[in-house]
Amino acid sequence: MNDTQNVLFRMMKIIHRICVENNIRYYMIGGTMLGAVRHKGFIPWDDDMDIGMPRKDFNKFLSLAAKALPEWMEIEIPGERDGNYNFGFAKIADANTTLVEKYDMMERAWGIFIDIFPLDGLGNNRIASNLCFGIARYKFLLLKLNQNLTHAGKSIADCTLRKILRIYASVLGEKRIYRNLVKYAEKHSFYRSDYVANLVGSASVKEYMKSTYFGIPRRYKFESEEFFGVEDADGYLSSLYGNYKTLPPEDKRVPHHGIMIMTDVPYRDYIKKHANE
């Protein structure tokens, strides 16, 4: 493991312990699940970790996190305050480190972080589930547009439509959009649905899949520990990535998040130093 991955691994062990002690269900998802299966740990060039929790467990974890986490681990809760880069999911970071990300024309510095996504049910009917997913993703698009976190689009028509939606989203406001998204997402139970999704995930429609892929969490070796992942790893990873067993071309083996990462600089010190630049 590299220095960044050591920071992530240290945090993940604490998150795992909190979940086990409080009967909170979680799964490794995305590239973290892929790493567990293909590499028995981190994807060598990865600089983040992703986990998912059924919405009920996600809410329970958020209610416990402030007291359960050590002081050096900070949590960012979606919908808690305006202007907070509300992605619709939670982030837990090591406050003694710095990771700088860039969104369009904006940069943001925080600690090296783990993303925690809510997982939602979509019901048991395929057609109705498709509609439910589409409506939820539209609400998520409004949330991102409200914070200027999406690109304008390639075509003139797409650009015009997004400008209109951006104005509409600004009128609604971030908190209102987020509350509406959550209310809609909670219509169906993750545990009682045949179709489920990470509604705020970056892979869009690929995040929508059969609930049997998640199933009952099972343990997977991850570096020197074991963490929980999806029950049907092959079904889940094939749905998300296609031929996941083949390594990507060398020019694609790059970190996804940080344009700058420092494991020995607290992010508040970095922000203070660069505040006037």
Side-chain angles (χ1 to χ4, degrees):
M1 292 186 288
N2 59 38
D3 290 345
T4 302
Q5 291 168 351
N6 275 313
V7 172
L8 293 166
F9 190 59
R10 181 188 180 197
M11 289 194 290
M12 185 62 211
K13 287 189 287 185
I14 294 172
I15 294 171
H16 170 79
R17 175 179 54 77
I18 292 171
C19 289
V20 170
E21 290 176 352
N22 292 280
N23 194 30
I24 294 172
R25 178 180 291 198
Y26 81 86
Y27 304 89
M28 291 182 287
I29 60 173
T32 306
M33 188 68 237
L34 175 59
V37 171
R38 197 172 65 191
H39 303 275
K40 308 301 181 187
F42 286 100
I43 295 174
W45 53 89
D46 220 351
D47 63 353
D48 75 332
M49 292 189 77
D50 296 326
I51 62 176
M53 299 177 181
R55 176 82 55 178
K56 183 178 179 180
D57 298 86
F58 178 79
N59 291 338
K60 182 178 180 181
F61 181 84
L62 296 188
S63 70
L64 295 172
K67 291 184 178 180
L69 292 170
E71 289 186 4
W72 55 271
M73 287 175 68
E74 298 183 357
I75 184 166
E76 187 174 80
I77 297 175
E80 194 172 62
R81 63 183 186 270
D82 286 324
N84 198 33
Y85 293 88
N86 186 357
F87 297 97
F89 53 91
K91 289 173 173 282
I92 290 181
D94 183 339
N96 295 321
T97 66
T98 296
L99 184 148
V100 182
E101 293 182 288
K102 187 170 185 177
Y103 305 101
D104 292 342
M105 300 304 292
M106 299 179 292
E107 287 189 6
R108 183 203 188 206
W110 203 35
I112 294 170
F113 58 80
I114 293 176
D115 289 332
I116 305 179
F117 294 88
L119 303 173
D120 291 295
L122 298 172
N124 300 316
N125 179 278
R126 179 76 190 211
I127 296 175
S129 295
N130 284 339
L131 179 61
C132 184
F133 179 79
I135 293 173
R137 289 296 294 190
Y138 163 72
K139 294 177 184 293
F140 180 48
L141 173 62
L142 288 179
L143 183 64
K144 293 196 294 181
L145 287 171
N146 184 265
Q147 300 166 89
N148 296 317
L149 294 176
T150 62
H151 295 286
K154 295 181 179 179
S155 69
I156 295 176
D158 184 50
C159 181
T160 302
L161 176 59
R162 283 179 182 259
K163 285 181 179 178
I164 294 171
L165 288 176
R166 198 184 298 275
I167 294 170
Y168 176 58
S170 67
V171 172
L172 290 177
E174 177 187 321
K175 285 188 175 181
R176 184 177 177 183
I177 296 171
Y178 178 70
R179 286 195 300 266
N180 188 263
L181 171 61
V182 172
K183 183 178 180 180
Y184 188 81
E186 291 179 334
K187 289 179 64 176
H188 299 285
S189 167
F190 175 89
Y191 294 105
R192 295 193 297 273
S193 292
D194 290 340
Y195 299 96
V196 299
N198 174 4
L199 296 174
V200 295
S202 61
S204 189
V205 71
K206 291 182 179 181
E207 306 269 9
Y208 163 47
M209 60 187 67
K210 296 177 181 178
S211 61
T212 51
Y213 291 161
F214 284 93
I216 305 300
R218 53 170 290 204
R219 289 178 178 268
Y220 291 84
K221 178 175 173 55
F222 196 95
E223 303 299 341
S224 60
E225 297 287 332
E226 287 187 342
F227 299 135
F228 286 108
V230 300
E231 183 174 3
D232 181 359
D234 183 68
Y236 171 80
L237 293 172
S238 296
S239 178
L240 199 58
Y241 298 112
N243 183 14
Y244 66 90
K245 296 179 182 179
T246 301
L247 291 172
E250 288 192 20
D251 62 335
K252 300 294 184 182
R253 301 176 194 178
V254 294
H256 297 280
H257 288 284
I259 60 173
M260 181 185 299
I261 300 177
M262 293 171 283
T263 59
D264 58 348
V265 178
Y267 78 93
R268 287 188 177 87
D269 291 349
Y270 174 87
I271 292 173
K272 188 182 299 183
K273 181 179 178 181
H274 293 82
N276 298 319
E277 292 183 359

